[in-house]
Amino acid sequence: MAKLLILNCDDFGQSAPANEAIMHLLEERRVSSATIMAPAQGFDQAADWCRRHPEAHIGLHLTFTSEYDAVRFGSLTGRSSLHDADGYMYKTVEAFERGSAKADVIAEMKAQFDAVARAGIAVTHADNHMGSLYGVATGRSYLPQVFWQCSRRGMPFRLFRHIDPAEAITANAPGVEATLAKAVALCDTLGVAVPDYLLSHPYEIEPGETYEAFKEMLIAKLFTLPEGVVETFIHPAVPDADLGARIPHWEKRVWEYRLMLDPDFTAAMKDAGVQLTDYRYVGEKLRRPRLRSGLRLAKLLF
């Protein structure tokens, strides 16, 4: 089986420098797709580009947190449980999980799906900014609600069917196998396709890390990808003096943009036998039989 990689650009619409990098990478077809943030301040610019490039694969980056003072924003619905004392979306996932009301979260999900539809964007998939819907901080998950929204629209969602032992963040999490099995079975029952694996790397610049070290690390991962459809996500941006001074680890975003254009990375993709794919492929090829999946889900739950 071929090694298929989805390279998704998160945070499309967060800011003008992020938009510039993502639009360039999409135009050059160096990445598979991008996911757009409907509440963010750069959404209109990103949406305008999407309308002019209907061939691009654009997903919805469901957004319930606004972590940076430099680019804060509120919800589309204005529901009070979705905001902190300053009137913006919460800065942390834990604060969102503790403060949000389920009805308000569902209403905001619908509003964000509606916003991209009104903007004329035919989204191919959905994912979630900062993993705020996964329940990772307090166990208060909104995944069943987001799976239902994706099911109604016939679109895939960013999850992963299998745990790659090399991915320490997920492989070593307590109880992850049982939790993942239930979530995947629910996706399958609802007809929501998911990739086989998720490949991650640290968002922050690690102590002593350089661009060359970062490049070597990601290129090495290309040669050890498991077979199937693997997604990894990046947060590319062009250099920006203002945001670079106000957003932690902005330089890592610039590195990610630079890496996608680096001929060494392109050559490594070819040498490793890795082909870019996208979420349309996931939706067409990776759905599972719903009845059989429902029976498996019932066994897992009861």
Side-chain angles (χ1 to χ4, degrees):
M1 186 175 180
K3 293 182 178 180
L4 301 176
L5 179 64
I6 297 171
L7 273 170
N8 189 81
C9 298
D10 286 8
D11 294 0
F12 195 19
Q14 182 214 53
S15 63
N19 287 351
E20 182 179 342
I22 292 169
M23 292 184 295
H24 183 206
L25 294 177
L26 288 169
E27 288 170 4
E28 294 294 321
R29 300 189 177 182
R30 300 301 183 102
V31 295
S32 305
S33 55
T35 38
I36 195 166
M37 307 174 78
Q41 60 188 25
F43 173 74
D44 289 342
Q45 180 192 32
D48 178 68
W49 182 92
C50 292
R51 285 190 294 271
R52 291 184 284 107
H53 295 82
E55 76 284 356
H57 294 196
I58 303 298
L60 175 60
H61 200 47
L62 287 161
T63 302
F64 291 89
T65 48
S66 176
E67 67 272 35
Y68 300 123
D69 288 332
V71 286
R72 299 215 72 190
F73 38 79
S75 70
L76 298 183
T77 56
R79 304 276 181 114
S80 60
S81 81
L82 304 179
H83 301 105
D84 62 16
D86 296 322
Y88 299 106
M89 286 182 163
Y90 297 105
K91 285 187 174 183
T92 68
V93 170
E94 181 176 356
F96 164 73
E97 289 183 22
R98 294 189 184 282
S100 57
K102 183 164 70 172
D104 293 347
V105 173
I106 294 171
E108 181 65 21
M109 283 184 197
K110 293 178 181 177
Q112 293 185 22
F113 276 110
D114 290 345
V116 295
R118 284 195 307 272
I121 306 169
V123 292
T124 60
H125 62 291
D127 58 26
N128 174 218
H129 184 55
M130 293 181 69
S132 58
L133 301 174
Y134 287 72
V136 294
T138 68
R140 192 167 179 228
S141 168
Y142 291 107
L143 285 180
Q145 288 74 32
V146 74
F147 293 164
W148 176 245
Q149 295 299 322
C150 289
S151 175
R152 292 182 60 201
R153 294 164 176 82
M155 68 176 59
F157 182 74
R158 173 190 287 160
L159 194 63
F160 48 98
R161 184 172 298 278
H162 308 294
I163 297 172
D164 183 356
E167 290 295 302
I169 295 175
T170 51
N172 298 330
V176 66
E177 291 187 6
T179 301
L180 179 62
K182 293 174 185 176
V184 170
L186 179 56
C187 279
D188 291 342
T189 301
L190 293 173
V192 178
V194 300
D196 294 307
Y197 294 93
L198 185 67
L199 174 69
S200 61
H201 59 270
Y203 171 80
E204 302 84 3
I205 295 177
E206 299 186 303
E209 188 178 22
T210 64
Y211 170 75
E212 290 300 326
F214 170 67
K215 180 172 79 170
E216 289 177 11
M217 179 270 293
L218 274 190
I219 285 178
K221 283 180 178 284
L222 294 177
F223 288 89
T224 60
L225 285 185
E227 291 184 347
V229 178
V230 182
E231 183 191 359
T232 193
F233 49 90
I234 57 175
H235 306 82
V238 299
D240 185 270
D242 177 48
L243 294 183
R246 299 167 64 199
I247 292 182
H249 306 286
W250 184 267
E251 187 179 7
K252 190 74 167 279
R253 293 175 177 253
V254 178
W255 288 357
E256 291 180 337
Y257 172 55
R258 178 182 171 189
L259 180 62
M260 295 301 102
L261 300 171
D262 194 315
D264 290 344
F265 187 80
T266 303
M269 288 272 291
K270 183 177 180 180
D271 292 345
V274 176
Q275 301 175 20
L276 280 186
T277 190
D278 53 60
Y279 267 97
R280 287 199 177 103
Y281 180 91
V282 172
E284 292 170 2
K285 302 294 186 181
L286 298 189
R287 294 187 193 278
R288 297 297 175 91
R290 297 180 68 169
L291 179 58
R292 189 183 308 163
S293 300
L295 294 174
R296 186 173 76 253
L297 177 61
K299 290 180 180 179
L300 290 169
L301 293 176
F302 305 109

